[in-house]
């Protein structure tokens, strides 16, 4: 008696999610030697973490470059480990409680000034001007770090001092990065008091300035917080997209001619984007107010 042929383990049918095709089975049998199992799992998590919505197997496989069968196996293991959650009805995956727990632990350990300091050093060396770091605190911001210019005549700031969000480039950069509703809330509940003769004190002028900052990607100040000083600044964000603070270059007004000012503005915008990336911010899927 001839026994019926046994089904190959690779020919199993996936009943819980997407059904595999013959092509998928062939792909699964091709060893992928270029990446370890851990690297492939991290690639899957990264694709899902970057996406603003849940994703299916096909999309995840395409974005990671992995065979669908391999992707499916990794996804199932990550669901079992609670790193991912699976929607049975829509056949979609999103980050699970395990990933959230690790993310929150990482955020608790995050030291923003320490993360940003190397970017300040590089910025100050590149520009030859003082680089500063400010963190947002509610409706104000505070200087927390600076790297001084090596020039004989240079600017410096008083660390730990608090400043309103409408005065100076570091403040305006943060304000412009906020959603419109928060900007309106700030204007509605805070007086635009003058810090110097150059401070913006008009609601209309401030609105126009915010539009300009969003277009350029950085803010400029001509003595708005400190007379005789000029600065350029850009805001940076944290992992969830929240505005964390701003990075700036500051110096004497006669050193910031227009052509150089535009170049310095591009440099601070790049530094802010780099700090954001180090803090875990991803630009994919974000809407409005993005930096850089």
């Amino acid at each position: 008696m001839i026994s019926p042929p046994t089904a190959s383990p690779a020919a199993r049918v996936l009943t819980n999610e997407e059904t595999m095709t013959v092509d998928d089975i062939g792909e699964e049998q091709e060893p992928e030697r270029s990446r370890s199992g851990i690297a492939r799992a991290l690639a899957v998590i990264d694709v899902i973490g970057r996406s603003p919505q849940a994703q299916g197997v096909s999309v995840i496989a395409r974005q990671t470059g992995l065979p669908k069968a391999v992707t499916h196996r990794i996804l199932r293991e990550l669901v079992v480990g609670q790193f991912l959650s699976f929607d049975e009805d829509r056949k979609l995956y999103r980050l699970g409680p395990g990933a959230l727990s690790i993310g929150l632990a990482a955020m608790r350990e995050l030291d923003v000034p320490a993360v940003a300091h190397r970017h300040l050093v590089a910025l100050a060396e590149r520009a030859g001007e003082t680089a500063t770091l400010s963190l947002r605190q509610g409706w104000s911001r505070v200087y927390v770090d600076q790297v001084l210019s090596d020039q004989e005549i240079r600017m410096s700031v008083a660390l730990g001092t608090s400043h309103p969000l409408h005065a100076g480039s570091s403040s305006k950069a943060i304000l412009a990065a906020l959603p419109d509703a928060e900007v309106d809330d700030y204007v509605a509940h805070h007086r635009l008091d003058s810090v110097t003769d150059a401070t913006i004190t008009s609601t209309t002028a401030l609105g126009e300035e915010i539009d300009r900052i969003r277009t350029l990607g950085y803010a400029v100040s001509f003595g708005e917080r400190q007379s005789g000083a000029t600065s350029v600044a850009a805001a940076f964000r944290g992992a969830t997209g929240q505005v964390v603070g701003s990075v700036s270059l500051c110096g004497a007004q006669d050193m910031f001619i227009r052509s150089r000012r535009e170049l310095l503005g591009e440099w601070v915008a790049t530094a802010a984007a780099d700090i954001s990336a180090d803090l875990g911010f991803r630009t994919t899927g974000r809407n409005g107010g993005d930096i850089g």
Side-chain angles (χ1 to χ4, degrees):
M1 179 176 178
I2 300 175
S3 302
T6 0
S8 165
R12 64 188 182 280
V13 177
L14 307 180
T15 56
N16 290 336
E17 297 161 316
E18 298 183 10
T19 303
M20 289 171 57
T21 66
V22 174
D23 291 339
D24 296 329
I25 294 171
E27 284 179 331
E28 186 183 36
Q29 292 173 337
E30 295 177 6
E32 195 199 41
R33 299 185 177 89
S34 60
R35 285 188 280 181
S36 69
I38 292 176
R40 287 179 288 179
L42 290 174
V44 169
I45 294 172
D46 186 59
V47 165
I48 297 173
R50 286 173 180 267
S51 174
Q53 64 264 336
Q55 299 286 354
V57 174
S58 297
V59 173
I60 297 169
R62 184 166 61 251
Q63 293 190 17
T64 57
L66 296 170
K68 188 187 291 184
V70 173
T71 304
H72 174 262
R73 185 166 59 246
I74 293 171
L75 289 167
R76 291 187 65 180
E77 292 177 0
L78 291 173
V79 169
V80 170
Q82 296 190 324
F83 278 89
L84 300 180
S85 296
F86 177 60
D87 186 328
E88 291 279 358
D89 295 328
R90 298 190 298 154
K91 312 301 182 190
L92 299 176
Y93 295 87
R94 60 168 44 88
L95 293 180
L100 177 61
S101 176
I102 290 177
L104 291 174
M107 289 179 68
R108 284 195 299 269
E109 296 296 320
L110 204 58
D111 183 342
V112 176
V115 170
H117 186 74
R118 68 184 182 91
H119 297 289
L120 292 188
V121 171
L123 194 57
E125 290 178 350
R126 185 180 191 186
E129 303 290 352
T130 295
T132 76
L133 185 77
S134 295
L135 295 184
R136 181 189 177 190
Q137 288 193 349
W139 292 121
S140 62
R141 56 98 185 172
V142 176
Y143 283 119
V144 296
D145 194 12
Q146 67 179 325
V147 175
L148 297 177
S149 165
D150 57 6
Q151 298 185 50
E152 187 173 348
I153 300 176
R154 62 190 182 189
M155 301 294 300
S156 65
V157 299
L159 299 183
T161 55
S162 179
H163 304 279
L165 292 185
H166 67 281
S169 67
S170 293
S171 293
K172 293 186 300 181
I174 292 173
L175 188 63
L178 298 175
D180 287 339
E182 291 190 45
V183 175
D184 293 343
D185 191 25
Y186 178 82
V187 172
H189 297 94
H190 296 81
R191 292 176 52 184
L192 303 182
D193 292 330
S194 176
V195 179
T196 70
D197 292 341
T199 306
I200 296 176
T201 56
S202 160
T203 301
T204 301
L206 183 60
E208 293 172 350
E209 179 70 355
I210 286 173
D211 289 341
R212 185 159 43 248
I213 294 167
R214 289 174 175 174
T215 298
L216 291 174
Y218 59 88
V220 180
S221 169
F222 299 97
E224 296 174 22
R225 189 194 64 81
Q226 184 175 351
S227 297
T230 297
S231 63
V232 292
F236 59 88
R237 299 178 184 272
T240 62
Q242 79 280 18
V243 180
V244 176
S246 60
V247 58
S248 83
L249 284 169
C250 59
Q253 284 190 10
D254 57 359
M255 296 294 291
F256 278 59
I257 60 174
R258 180 173 180 178
S259 58
R260 186 165 188 262
R261 188 168 65 245
E262 291 173 351
L263 180 62
L264 297 180
E266 293 174 4
W267 289 353
V268 296
T270 298
D274 291 341
I275 294 170
S276 297
D278 284 355
L279 294 177
F281 176 64
R282 312 285 189 176
T283 57
T284 305
R286 304 284 180 186
N287 296 317
D290 282 352
I291 57 176

